[in-house]
Amino acid sequence: LGLFHPTLTRANKSGLQNTSHVPESGIAKLNGNENPYGPSPNALKAMAVASNRGGYYVNNSAQTLRKMIAERHRLTADHVLLSSGSTVVLACLAMMAAREGNILVPDLFWDTTAKLAIRNSKYRLERIAMAGKLEIDLKRMMEAINKDISLVQLTNPNNPTGLPINSEELKQFCTIASEHCPVLIDEAYNELAENPEQSSMIPLVREGRNVAVTRTFSKIHGLAGMRIGYMIAQPGFLKKISEFGVAGDWSTNQAGIAAAIASYDDEDFLRHSKEKIVEGKEMVAEAAKKNGLAILPSQTNFIFINLGSRNADEYKTVMRDQNILISGKYRNYSNWSRVSMGKIEDLKRYIGAMPLAL
């Protein structure tokens, strides 16, 4: 992409091209919900070894990773479908569902894959308005389920709000809704929540429910660039998805799988990452308060900030002029700005630039 779009690249001193997705010197990248403290040292070592097998498609190592994931959740490897990030398997499911009916979603969520599917379908996203404090309104979503709905999709904790859904209420919702159609819970930020195990819907898969859960190694594991994710669901359901699209072991890569295996049980690295993310959130929350701004209580690696009467795109532009990258507005929520928790020194730069940007 960079070779053909000069606006996305610049030549460095060696004449090589760097895409805008890689933070260059002097750039504070706080717009991608990445973990800049990863990959872990163990993952880096594993990637170096696995790269020697880069001439071959993934096989045994992917089976190892699926078994590790399944064992943790007391399931079989057939309950796990690997993917290039969670994006590919999310897109495959959305496209499969969009052949059969509308996809029921909250108004504000990570809608990229769902919108992709609807763009190639006669059906639509059935969006349900957010509750008063931008929470997902499960009651209204339940009322909206009918014969025209082919899939219910939720993100928990949600993106871009960072808000978790009440665990008991979500379990009750999924139990009832899954009797009518599949329910997808995107748990990309689960490991960053205050109570990851309690908030996960994977136990419903273990009960045999028509529920699918997606996870990714892109967030707390710091492997966004290595593109490894997965879906946990009933084996028959996963078989349909893998036959429909391009998810599966072979769609992943040797280095990414090796890094995921090395990182999966690396408690020291995961604890360190979470501590740094929490430290960053506390800093940004305090700065927002000092600048008279309200925030939502996030259980992710980003914060959603209410800019009041200000426009999020304009705020983003002023930050960009200071070499600080953040997200712009989402849909018509033009006064809300999302900032990711990057390195502490980059967050200090963001905090220092807030008065000017405001």
Side-chain angles (χ1 to χ4, degrees), residues 279-297:
E279 180 183 353
K281 286 196 294 185
E282 291 173 349
M283 290 168 53
V284 173
E286 182 180 354
K289 183 178 180 180
K290 286 183 178 179
N291 283 276
L293 304 178
I295 66 168
L296 294 182

Side-chain angles (χ1 to χ4, degrees), residues 18-158:
N18 290 329
T19 72
S20 63
H21 293 287
V22 179
E24 299 170 357
S25 177
I27 299 292
K29 192 173 186 305
L30 307 174
N31 62 347
N33 297 349
E34 297 132 326
N35 176 9
Y37 298 100
S40 74
N42 290 342
L44 289 171
K45 292 176 185 177
M47 283 190 283
V49 173
S51 294
N52 293 319
R53 300 192 298 273
Y56 300 93
Y57 290 114
V58 171
N59 189 357
N60 292 340
S61 57
Q63 295 177 29
T64 297
L65 179 59
R66 287 195 290 112
K67 288 177 182 177
M68 291 174 69
I69 295 168
E71 181 179 348
R72 174 172 295 183
H73 299 291
R74 304 197 302 280
L75 293 164
T76 69
D78 290 338
H79 286 88
V80 182
L81 179 63
L82 296 182
S83 166
S84 178
S86 56
T87 303
V88 169
V89 74
L90 284 167
C92 289
L93 174 52
M95 287 188 285
M96 187 174 76
R99 283 185 166 189
E100 302 172 0
N102 300 327
I103 301 177
L104 182 65
V105 298
D107 188 49
L108 196 56
F109 78 113
W110 190 72
D111 58 9
T112 301
T113 54
K115 287 196 299 185
L116 169 67
I118 294 301
R119 213 172 282 137
N120 299 285
S121 168
K122 66 178 181 179
Y123 296 105
R124 68 180 189 277
L125 295 185
E126 187 74 37
R127 292 184 183 266
I128 301 300
M130 309 302 286
K133 296 182 179 180
L134 297 187
E135 303 102 335
I136 293 175
D137 194 331
L138 294 180
K139 183 175 183 295
R140 289 189 63 188
M141 292 197 71
M142 183 66 75
E143 293 170 349
I145 296 177
N146 55 45
K147 61 181 179 59
D148 297 323
I149 301 298
S150 61
L151 175 71
V152 176
Q153 180 170 344
L154 300 168
T155 304
N156 184 44
N158 199 14

Side-chain angles (χ1 to χ4, degrees), residues 100-332:
E100 302 172 0
N102 300 327
I103 301 177
L104 182 65
V105 298
D107 188 49
L108 196 56
F109 78 113
W110 190 72
D111 58 9
T112 301
T113 54
K115 287 196 299 185
L116 169 67
I118 294 301
R119 213 172 282 137
N120 299 285
S121 168
K122 66 178 181 179
Y123 296 105
R124 68 180 189 277
L125 295 185
E126 187 74 37
R127 292 184 183 266
I128 301 300
M130 309 302 286
K133 296 182 179 180
L134 297 187
E135 303 102 335
I136 293 175
D137 194 331
L138 294 180
K139 183 175 183 295
R140 289 189 63 188
M141 292 197 71
M142 183 66 75
E143 293 170 349
I145 296 177
N146 55 45
K147 61 181 179 59
D148 297 323
I149 301 298
S150 61
L151 175 71
V152 176
Q153 180 170 344
L154 300 168
T155 304
N156 184 44
N158 199 14
N159 178 11
T161 66
L163 296 175
I165 307 172
N166 179 276
S167 300
E168 290 306 314
E169 292 177 4
L170 182 57
K171 286 178 182 176
Q172 184 178 11
F173 172 87
C174 290
T175 299
I176 299 172
S178 63
E179 295 294 327
H180 300 274
C181 65
V183 177
L184 166 63
I185 308 297
D186 180 359
E187 293 186 352
Y189 303 94
N190 171 268
E191 294 94 341
L192 292 161
E194 291 179 2
N195 296 295
E197 290 187 21
Q198 180 182 335
S199 61
S200 177
M201 294 299 110
I202 292 177
L204 296 180
V205 177
R206 203 159 49 239
E207 292 177 11
R209 306 281 182 186
N210 193 17
V211 172
V213 175
T214 51
R215 295 274 185 94
T216 181
F217 285 87
S218 296
K219 308 306 176 185
I220 194 169
H221 290 274
L223 294 172
M226 301 312 298
R227 310 310 301 135
I228 302 295
Y230 55 96
M231 176 179 284
I232 293 179
Q234 302 308 319
F237 187 75
L238 295 181
K239 185 177 181 181
K240 288 181 182 178
I241 295 174
S242 60
E243 290 175 350
F244 180 86
V246 291
D249 293 2
W250 67 274
S251 70
T252 59
N253 66 90
Q254 293 282 14
I257 290 291
I261 291 172
S263 180
Y264 194 58
D265 292 321
D266 191 344
E267 295 299 331
D268 288 340
F269 170 74
L270 298 178
R271 187 182 307 109
H272 170 74
S273 292
K274 196 165 184 176
E275 287 173 353
K276 300 302 287 186
I277 289 166
V278 170
E279 180 183 353
K281 286 196 294 185
E282 291 173 349
M283 290 168 53
V284 173
E286 182 180 354
K289 183 178 180 180
K290 286 183 178 179
N291 283 276
L293 304 178
I295 66 168
L296 294 182
S298 169
Q299 290 194 26
T300 60
N301 61 345
F302 54 85
I303 288 182
F304 213 33
I305 303 176
N306 188 341
L307 300 176
S309 61
R310 303 167 185 86
N311 182 278
D313 282 343
E314 295 174 1
Y315 182 69
K316 170 187 174 181
T317 298
V318 179
M319 283 291 181
R320 187 183 61 205
D321 291 342
Q322 307 301 310
N323 288 332
I324 300 168
L325 305 182
I326 61 172
S327 298
K329 74 172 185 177
Y330 288 81
R331 289 178 54 72
N332 60 342

